[in-house]
Amino acid sequence: NPEVHEQIILALLRDDRMESAFAERGKLNEYYGPKSAWYAYQQKAGNAEAIRYSDNLVKDNLIQSATWYHAEAQKLRNEAEVRDDQEMAAQARDRYAFAAKGYEDFLSRYPNDKDSYQWNFYFAECLYYSEQYVPAHEQYRVVREMDVKNNEYQEVAAYNAVKSMELLMVDKVGRGELPGKVLPQTEDVR
């Protein structure tokens, strides 16, 4: 029941168990989304009110979960850079990957959301910082090509699309999959 699930999430938040609360938020689409057994049953029963309630709950919680993991990843990444801590940097990459999955789930379910332009950019950023360079490149291209009135992320998305491919090449050179001469002659590509 989505109402009970929401109460569990609120209880976790009140108990300051943020990680658990946001992990539960991320599961709502699986439990109450259009592909769930619960949703199929409610549709068969003609319970439009329950479906509307769950849809609003899922929508709000999916984006809240993605943005929370995104913010946590940014904090961890910044702290890892200050401390030069590779383990913390790895944790940040994992958080970015969780956030990317949240944005992906949200955008696949709500592709026409009024803020989808922003969510698409954040999705690309999370892919980039979780070192998923090929999908990041593709997502940045989506943002760059979006036809929106004020395309505030267009320039950054265009730059980061190129940067994603550059970092992919750096990784491939590091693994011996590409010769080093394919890289630009700069001191620090990253």
Side-chain angles (χ1 to χ4, degrees):
N1 180 325
E3 292 171 354
V4 172
H5 206 140
E6 182 178 29
Q7 293 305 312
I8 292 169
I9 292 167
L10 292 174
L12 290 168
L13 289 170
R14 279 192 303 272
D15 200 26
D16 203 29
R17 295 175 54 198
M18 303 302 273
E19 184 83 30
S20 298
F22 283 97
E24 283 302 310
R25 281 183 162 177
K27 295 177 186 175
L28 289 173
N29 189 39
E30 177 186 338
Y31 295 154
Y32 308 110
K35 296 178 183 175
S36 71
W38 180 91
Y39 192 94
Y41 177 80
Q42 298 303 323
Q43 245 183 346
K44 188 175 180 181
N47 196 346
E49 185 177 328
I51 291 172
R52 246 189 325 279
Y53 177 84
S54 74
D55 191 54
N56 287 332
L57 180 69
V58 167
K59 182 178 183 179
D60 291 345
N61 281 282
L62 271 177
I63 204 60
Q64 287 175 10
S65 181
T67 56
W68 184 80
Y69 277 110
H70 190 171
E72 290 297 304
Q74 288 174 314
K75 286 185 226 171
L76 273 171
R77 188 179 108 240
N78 291 340
E79 188 68 24
E81 286 177 6
V82 168
R83 294 181 182 193
D84 194 26
D85 185 331
Q86 294 305 309
E87 187 176 320
M88 191 178 283
Q91 291 171 351
R93 285 190 297 276
D94 290 345
R95 291 283 171 96
Y96 276 117
F98 279 128
K101 177 72 172 113
Y103 288 125
E104 181 179 35
D105 289 348
F106 181 87
L107 289 165
S108 68
R109 175 102 188 257
Y110 306 101
N112 299 317
D113 181 75
K114 68 180 178 62
D115 296 319
S116 65
Y117 175 62
Q118 177 182 352
W119 306 137
N120 272 285
F121 179 74
Y122 290 172
F123 177 30
E125 290 282 278
C126 289
L127 290 167
Y128 180 87
Y129 287 111
S130 62
E131 299 181 358
Q132 299 177 64
Y133 298 124
V134 173
H137 170 77
E138 292 303 317
Q139 195 58 34
Y140 281 128
R141 287 182 55 217
V142 167
V143 173
R144 183 190 68 207
E145 300 301 322
M146 285 182 129
D147 186 23
V148 294
K149 187 172 185 169
N150 295 319
N151 196 336
E152 67 183 286
Y153 299 118
Q154 186 175 38
E155 190 174 315
V156 174
Y159 175 80
N160 284 351
V162 173
K163 198 71 177 162
S164 295
M165 288 294 93
E166 186 177 316
L167 290 176
L168 177 65
M169 289 175 19
V170 167
D171 284 351
K172 285 187 174 213
V173 167
R175 291 191 309 265
E177 296 173 19
L178 285 174
K181 65 184 177 185
V182 300
L183 294 176
Q185 298 301 313
T186 60
E187 296 274 319
D188 183 10
V189 178
R190 288 185 194 252

